[in-house]
Amino acid sequence: LVIVIAVIAILAAVLIPTFASIIKKANMSADQQAVRQMNTFLASEGAVEAPTSISEARIILLEADIEMKDYKPLTKDMYFYWVKSENRIIYADKDNKVVFPAEFEELEYKMGDWFSLSGEIVENDDWKDSINGGVVTLKDGGSLVSLMEAYNNNDTKATAVTKITLEKDIDLMGSATNFKKITKNVEFDGNGKTVYGLCSNASVFNKNNSAGEASSYGYGLFAQIGDVTSKKTANVTVKNVTFDGAVVDDPENSAEVSGAGIVAGIVYYGSTLNIEDVAVKNCYVRAEKKAGALIGYVAHNKIGNKTDNPCTVTIKNVKVENVTVIAGREAAALIGFVQQSNLSATGLTTKNITVEADSSYGYKYSSDKLTATNDKGENKRGITSKDYWDASKATFAEGPTNFAK
C-alpha cells in the first residue's frame, strides 16, 4: 500500500503540472481566437467609420453577438484591451505586455489609449498603507479601483477615508468600477493631475419605473450621492482634476438607463456637490434619460405636494470641451435634469459640446444651455422652473442667465 501511494504521488507530481500546462495552452489558444474574431468585426466596421470610444467599440461587438461574457479571457491574469489609436483588440498580461496579435507584440502601453473590454483591470491594494488621518494618496488607476471596490463593500479602512488625493496622473483603463453610493463626506482632490479612462457602465441600483419597465440608475465616478431610503446626505467635493477620455454608458443593459454624468450620476436628498477647478474633455455620456457632461440628475425627496431637503450644487472654474451627451430625453450640456436645488455656477467655459436627443419628446437640447427646455423655450418638468429653482443663487459668470425665469 505504501508503495502504491508513493507511485500515485509521483505520478501526480509529474502529471498535474502537465495537465495544467495543457489547459493553459488551450485557454490561451481560445483567447487568441476570440481576439482574432473581434478584430475581424472591428476592421470591417472601421473601414467605414472607426469607433471613437470604447462604448462605440462595444456596440460594434454587440451587433456581432459578442457579449460581455465573451470579453473575459479564460486565462488567469490576462486581459482583452481595445486600443483606441489602433481600433484593435489586444491580448495582454498583467504587466501590459502584448501577447497577441503578433503585429502588436512591440506595442507599448499609453495612458488613455487602452480600455479593458470586460471592465476589469489589475488592482493595487497599496492605498491601504498610505492612509494618514483619513487622507489617502493614490499612485495609479489600480489603486483607485481597489479603493472603490472596498468602499462599495463597506470595508472599514475604505469608508474611513475622507479625502482622496492623486500623486500622479492615473489611468482607469476602462474599469467599470465606481463609487456606488456615497452617504458620507468625501473630497476628491486631483492635485492638478489627470484621470484617464473612466468608464462607468455599472449602475448603483435597478428598479421598475411607474410603467413597470426595468430602470437602471446612477452612472459616473460617484454613481449616487446621498440616499432617500436611509435618509442620509453627503457632502462631496471634486476639485483640481482633469477627466480625459471618460465614457459613461451601459450599452448591454436592456433596462432604461438613467442618471449619467462624468462626475456624478445622481445627487440626492439634500446632499451637496462642489465641483471646482475641474476640466472635462474628450468624453462621451449616453443614457435613455437624465444625462449631462457633469451630472445626470439633481433630485429632491418629494413628500406629497411639498419638497424638502433641496440639494446644493456649486460649480466653479469648470471647463468642458469636446464632449458628446446623448439621451432619449432630459439631456443637456452640463446637468441633464434638475429638480429643487440651490445652484451656483461661475467661471464656466464650454467648447465643442454636442447634445443629441429624441426630438419627439418635445424638448429642445442645445450645447449652450445648462439644462433642457421644450421647443418653445419654456422650462418643463421642474428642470429649471421657478418652482424648483432658487433664483438668488442661480448666478452665472458666463453663458445664459435666465434659468430661474
Side-chain angles (χ1 to χ4, degrees), residues 283-316:
C283 298
Y284 177 94
V285 180
R286 188 177 75 95
E288 269 71 45
K289 61 180 182 179
K290 299 179 176 64
L294 297 179
I295 308 168
Y297 182 22
V298 181
H300 60 67
N301 179 38
K302 192 169 185 178
I303 302 175
N305 294 322
K306 298 180 180 180
T307 57
D308 64 356
N309 293 329
C311 296
T312 297
V313 175
T314 301
I315 302 172
K316 183 178 180 181

Side-chain angles (χ1 to χ4, degrees), residues 40 63 81 148 317:
T40 298
E63 290 174 347
Y81 292 106
M148 292 189 292
N317 300 331

Side-chain angles (χ1 to χ4, degrees), residues 331-354:
L334 302 183
I335 304 177
F337 190 99
V338 179
Q339 289 179 311
Q340 181 192 28
S341 302
N342 300 319
L343 176 68
S344 175
T346 57
L348 294 175
T349 302
T350 60
K351 181 181 179 181
N352 297 332
I353 301 179
T354 300

Side-chain angles (χ1 to χ4, degrees), residues 68 88 109 114 240 254 294 316 354 384:
M68 186 67 76
R88 289 295 183 271
Y109 158 74
W114 290 25
N240 303 326
S254 59
L294 297 179
K316 183 178 180 181
T354 300
T384 56

Side-chain angles (χ1 to χ4, degrees), residues 75-134:
T75 308
K76 183 180 179 181
D77 294 330
M78 299 297 293
Y79 299 85
F80 293 149
Y81 292 106
W82 175 67
V83 181
K84 183 176 180 180
S85 61
E86 303 288 345
N87 185 32
R88 289 295 183 271
I89 306 300
I90 60 171
Y91 184 52
D93 65 18
K94 62 182 179 180
D95 296 317
N96 295 332
K97 171 65 177 176
V98 179
V99 174
F100 186 82
E103 61 266 33
F104 293 114
E105 287 182 356
E106 300 302 318
L107 181 69
E108 294 186 359
Y109 158 74
K110 183 173 68 174
M111 274 195 172
D113 196 36
W114 290 25
F115 292 82
S116 169
L117 283 184
S118 67
E120 298 177 356
I121 69 170
V122 180
E123 296 186 20
N124 186 350
D125 293 336
D126 65 355
W127 60 270
K128 295 179 180 179
D129 299 323
S130 71
I131 299 176
N132 184 8

Side-chain angles (χ1 to χ4, degrees), residues 185-348:
N185 297 343
V186 177
E187 179 179 309
F188 187 100
D189 185 350
N191 196 29
K193 303 301 188 292
T194 297
V195 175
Y196 295 96
L198 171 67
C199 190
S200 175
N201 63 359
S203 65
V204 67
F205 65 92
N206 297 276
K207 70 175 186 178
N208 290 336
N209 60 22
S210 57
E213 301 167 331
S215 297
S216 189
Y217 287 81
Y219 296 81
L221 176 63
F222 294 96
Q224 179 179 320
I225 299 172
D227 183 43
V228 172
T229 303
S230 62
K231 296 185 177 181
K232 291 182 178 180
T233 63
N235 186 328
V236 173
T237 296
V238 178
K239 66 179 185 179
N240 303 326
V241 66
T242 295
F243 295 98
D244 192 343
V247 176
V248 179
D249 189 13
D250 194 2
E252 287 193 295
N253 196 335
S254 59
E256 181 181 63
V257 174
S258 177
I262 303 297
V263 176
I266 303 172
V267 184
Y268 241 152
Y269 198 74
S271 293
T272 297
L273 174 59
N274 304 300
I275 305 174
E276 181 176 350
D277 297 319
V278 169
V280 174
K281 61 181 183 179
N282 310 317
C283 298
Y284 177 94
V285 180
R286 188 177 75 95
E288 269 71 45
K289 61 180 182 179
K290 299 179 176 64
L294 297 179
I295 308 168
Y297 182 22
V298 181
H300 60 67
N301 179 38
K302 192 169 185 178
I303 302 175
N305 294 322
K306 298 180 180 180
T307 57
D308 64 356
N309 293 329
C311 296
T312 297
V313 175
T314 301
I315 302 172
K316 183 178 180 181
N317 300 331
V318 171
K319 184 177 183 180
V320 181
E321 61 178 326
N322 300 326
V323 174
T324 297
V325 179
I326 301 174
R329 55 192 171 100
E330 299 158 6
L334 302 183
I335 304 177
F337 190 99
V338 179
Q339 289 179 311
Q340 181 192 28
S341 302
N342 300 319
L343 176 68
S344 175
T346 57
L348 294 175

